[in-house]
Structure formats: C-alpha cells, structure tokens
Amino acid sequence: MSKRASVTGYAIPQSRIQHIIARQGYCAVCDGSPKMAKSTHNPPILSADHRELAIQQELFITSPYSSGSPLFLPNGTRIFNTLTGFLRSKYERYGFQEVISPTIYKKSLWEKSGHWENYAEDMYSVTGRGAESASEGKQVGKDEEYGLKPMNCPGHCLIFASKKRSYRDLPIRYADFSPLHRNEISGALSGLTRLRKFHQDDGHIFCRPSQIRDEISKTLEFVKETYNLLKMGPYRLTLSTRPKDHFIGSMEEWANAESALKSSLDASGETWTINEGDGAFYGPKIDIIIKDSNDKEHQTATIQLDFQLPKRFELEYQAPAPELEQKGLTTRDGELLAVEGPVTPVLIHRAVLGSVERMMALLIEHHNGKWPFWLSPRQVIILTLNDKPATLNFAREAQKQISIGNEMFGTNTPIAVDIDDSPRALGKKIAVAKSKHYSIIAIIGDQNVAHGRMNVDISWLLSDAEMPAKSMLNDIRSEVQPMDKTNVRKMTVSPLELRKVLQVLQALRV
C-alpha cells in the first residue's frame, strides 16, 4: 500500500477543507464516498462550533497521539449510546438483525471487493504474523498483509454467503456499528465531522429485484421518523442516476432500479431533485441533505443500490423462473416455475445517521447545550443546602433511586443524576447548574430530609413536551404535592415520584 509521507506537513486552506470529499458519508466500493453538498446560500455568520461546545459540555477531547480519533468522555459517550440505542430499538420494527464483524481482513478480501484497487490510499495496512497458508493464492507466510476496514459491506457479504439462501429468506437485513478506519490526510481532519476512526449506523439489505421499491420506501420512512425525533430538518433528498459512460449492469437493470427509487421518493411525500449522471458506477443512490447551525448543507443519510458487490462475491439465492426473477418479474407459467436456479441478489447500502460522530457534531451545534431530556448528558442535578450527614446520605440515596433504568418502558438506560454538595451558596449552585444546562434541578435541605421529598421545578417539561407526554405528566403531577399552590409546576416529590416522571420522558424521548 502506498504511504503518503508528504501528508504530515501538508497544509490545506480552510476553504478547501470545507469542500473536500467527505469519505465518511457511507460505504461504497470504488466510488469513494458521498460529497459534502455545496450550500446555495451566502456565507453564513458563524454561530455554534461543536468543538468549543464539546469542551464546555465535557463531551470529548482530542490528542496528538490519536489524530482523527476522539476520546469520548462520559457525557459524550452517553449521547453516543443514546443515539445508537434509539436506532437499535427500531431494528425489530424495520426488520434488521445486528451483527458484529472483524476490524481487519486479509488483503485478498479487499482485492476481491475492489477496495484495494480503488481505495488503498485511504486504508490502513496491517502486517500479520504467523500466517502459514495461502489466501486466495495471493499471500503466503508471516508477512501476510491485512487492511483495517474502511466499510462493513464486504463482511456482510461474507455473512450472506455463509449458507444457502432461498427467495423465501429475502430480504435479509444486517446492521453493524463496528468502528471504521480511513486514512484521511491530517489537514482535512476537523472535530467530529472528519475523522480517521468513526462509527456508522451501517445497514445492508440483500433483497430480490422485485423488493427494491418496498425496501427503499421503508428506509425513507426510517429516516423520516429519526430526523423528526431529532428535529434535524427540514432536509432534502437527491436522486443520482446512471453515469453516462462508466457503469456496470444492463440498461434494463438501471432503468428498473431508478424507477423503483423514483416511485419510493414520490411516495415519501418529500421534495426531491435529480442529479443526472451522478450515481455510483454500481447503481443509483438517494442522498439526504441537512443544514448545520451555519446554514451549510451536509450529506448524512444515504441509500445506495449496488449491482457489483454481490457479483464480485458470487452471492446467490435459489428461486423459480430465475431469468424472470433476476429482472424483477413474476409469472404464473407452471413450466417456468417448475425450474429453480441461482439468482444474484440486489444489495442496498443504507445509513440513517451516516457517521454517528458527524451527526453528533450537528446535534451539538443544533441544540447549543440545551439538549432534549432524552438526549441530555446532564439530565438531573441534586443541590444540597448543607453538608450535614443526613442531607448528604439522602442526596446519594435519591441519586440511586432516580437513576435506575425502566424495564417497563423498554429502556435500561439509567437517568444521569449528579450531585453538587459543595459548600457554595445555593444561589451560586443554581447559577452553575443552569449554565451547564441541567434539565432538572432538585434541592434538598433539612425539611426535605425530614419528609423524604425534594423541591423540583418541572416548568420546562410541561412547555416542551408533546401532547402525549403532557397528558401523562399532568396525570403524574396531580398525584404529587405542589410547593406553591399558585404554581403547580413547582413540586415537592419523593425520589421515586420524580423517577416516574422522568422515565415517562425518557420513554417518549422528550
């Protein structure tokens, strides 16, 4: 693999970095990765910067010992796990099975997939030791070469090929959060938006040609549900069609694939545009474009049809009337149906968030510290009025009771609860807690200890919550004691009562 020794001292102008090809967009065999969309607006006034906000909120740090590979702190890890946990919670509904694939593969696999020929400069090579047997006739002995994976698709092809498949088994949908590594030039690295080590909510759908339309529609529905929840919108969709010259597959295959994508886009009800001739050489694709806090557009989610990789890996399933099956056609002719044969599946690459780290960068800037409760790394803080042992013990016990995950609502994610038992005045503690954007501030003093209850203000909950959440919160609120009869949004609650309220919010993702 070629080494780019000259990269170390290479300086790229900021204007160039912003438009450089964003290879973390999604998996592609030889097409590189999706490009960052160019904004059609005038240069915006800079606002939030996720790198600065990350320092304030203690989300992640960087180190010269791991350029392009951030070290996530507990707060940032909580956001990461919450995002991926949400996607996992939807996999059963959308029919995905999660898998875990290796981080490194032999060079011969990357040659088979086409990555070594077209993507080698962006891959990390690793030399193995102790290998004694040949691999695909390419490598022998202790110096066998490996490559860190830049994408998951070859591994998922190996899983599909591990057993015989029937048309009755399809579609088969695999999901994978395994870390990916890409040897980006140092001058292009930027916060969480351009990394050397990152994660994708990677998904690969192996389906029959006749199933393409339904699978694309379901993926667009998944994207819509996710982005509505994250309040990351409005977004737009683009359809990239067959290149004029360099492409594989028949004209008929391309026409059917593009027709299926167009039908799915029309059915989505979203606005979409066409990029003529901008598809990957192995198939057309749909890209989802959103804007950051500076009104600049970024590609996040993507849906790509791939005709090449299944052929390279000789993937197949058995089906009646295989020639018609391969064209996505059906028949009732008994003679044709009596003959079964091998058919090459269609591979759909899909990502809903794209790079999880890049989506985190956009969310950090979008919320600017004021996270929705379910995503917030700083959900609850308990402030003590004194340092008496009874007060401190009650605070710690309350922390334990509130933080427990809720199996009833299908989430074991604990609620994040911190304690400020410093000797500072209460007013100072409240000011600090608000500056750190804690969602809930609970106060404990002598009277609270005596009655086993805390003083809590839930005003923001009732104003921000959606109607289903408001209804449940009002029901719960009626069961607890108001601190002030003129303002029932301020409550005196036990730790268990507060946990009940917050678990509703957690489950409804308010």
Side-chain angles (χ1 to χ4, degrees), residues 23 70 78 85 98 120 213 266 289 300 335 350 442:
R23 288 191 177 271
R78 179 179 180 83
E98 188 171 356
R213 183 177 284 102
D266 286 337
I289 311 296
T300 51
E335 291 185 8
R350 80 98 182 99

Side-chain angles (χ1 to χ4, degrees), residues 23 67 84 89 106 223 242 278 331 362 443 446 448 483:
R23 288 191 177 271
S67 299
T84 55
S89 73
K106 293 179 181 179
V223 170
R242 177 180 55 81
D278 200 41
T331 181
L362 296 173
I443 300 173
D446 290 339
N448 302 101
M483 289 168 51

Side-chain angles (χ1 to χ4, degrees), residues 160 164-168 170 207-209 315-319 325-326 341-346:
F160 183 91
K164 292 183 178 181
R165 309 288 182 177
S166 165
Y167 71 97
R168 296 183 181 89
L170 275 56
C207 67
R208 303 165 64 183
L315 304 182
E316 63 181 37
Y317 64 94
Q318 295 294 315
E325 172 75 15
Q326 192 71 73
V343 181
T344 303
V346 175

Side-chain angles (χ1 to χ4, degrees), residues 107-109 111-112 133-140 144:
K107 175 184 175 182
S108 53
L109 176 81
E111 290 176 330
K112 185 171 186 175
S133 60
S135 174
E136 298 288 329
K138 300 289 184 180
Q139 305 167 32
V140 182
E144 185 171 4

Side-chain angles (χ1 to χ4, degrees), residues 283-497:
K285 61 178 182 174
I286 297 173
D287 292 328
I288 287 79
I289 311 296
I290 63 174
K291 294 180 180 179
D292 64 14
S293 60
N294 290 321
D295 209 32
K296 184 171 67 178
E297 293 186 328
H298 296 265
Q299 178 194 308
T300 51
T302 191
I303 307 166
Q304 302 179 4
L305 292 184
D306 189 342
F307 301 128
Q308 181 187 25
L309 217 56
K311 293 179 180 178
R312 282 179 172 264
F313 280 84
E314 300 176 339
L315 304 182
E316 63 181 37
Y317 64 94
Q318 295 294 315
E323 291 185 4
L324 293 177
E325 172 75 15
Q326 192 71 73
K327 297 177 181 180
L329 303 176
T330 59
T331 181
R332 294 183 179 179
D333 188 317
E335 291 185 8
L336 293 176
L337 293 174
V339 178
E340 280 207 0
V343 181
T344 303
V346 175
L347 175 58
I348 301 176
H349 307 262
R350 80 98 182 99
V352 176
L353 298 182
S355 162
V356 179
E357 286 86 347
R358 178 181 292 153
M359 178 57 73
M360 282 185 63
L362 296 173
L363 287 169
I364 292 167
E365 296 180 0
H366 178 71
H367 292 295
N368 198 13
K370 298 178 181 178
W371 294 94
F373 180 79
W374 74 281
L375 263 182
S376 177
R378 291 171 171 162
Q379 293 177 310
V380 181
I381 188 167
I382 298 173
L383 310 180
T384 58
L385 288 173
N386 56 63
D387 59 358
K388 295 178 182 178
T391 301
L392 299 180
N393 288 338
F394 181 45
R396 294 189 184 101
E397 184 60 29
Q399 181 186 42
K400 292 179 182 177
Q401 293 183 15
I402 296 168
S403 64
I404 297 173
N406 189 348
E407 294 183 3
M408 181 180 70
F409 285 116
T411 173
N412 290 317
T413 303
I415 293 170
V417 184
D418 295 324
I419 298 176
D420 183 352
D421 56 5
S422 66
R424 293 177 294 190
L426 178 62
K428 179 64 174 177
K429 289 184 179 181
I430 292 175
V432 171
K434 288 184 176 180
S435 71
K436 292 184 176 181
H437 300 291
Y438 276 94
S439 301
I440 297 288
I441 299 175
I443 300 173
I444 293 177
D446 290 339
Q447 292 294 318
N448 302 101
V449 175
H451 295 91
R453 306 179 77 79
M454 306 178 299
N455 296 344
V456 179
D457 187 339
I458 64 166
S459 299
W460 76 272
L461 300 181
L462 296 174
S463 61
D464 289 353
E466 302 292 335
M467 289 307 297
K470 283 184 179 181
S471 176
M472 295 185 74
L473 288 171
N474 281 322
D475 291 342
I476 296 170
R477 184 184 60 179
S478 66
E479 300 175 7
V480 300
Q481 301 174 10
M483 289 168 51
D484 183 347
K485 292 182 179 180
T486 62
N487 185 359
V488 293
R489 294 183 175 188
K490 294 182 178 181
M491 304 187 303
T492 300
V493 296
S494 70
L496 292 178
E497 288 170 336

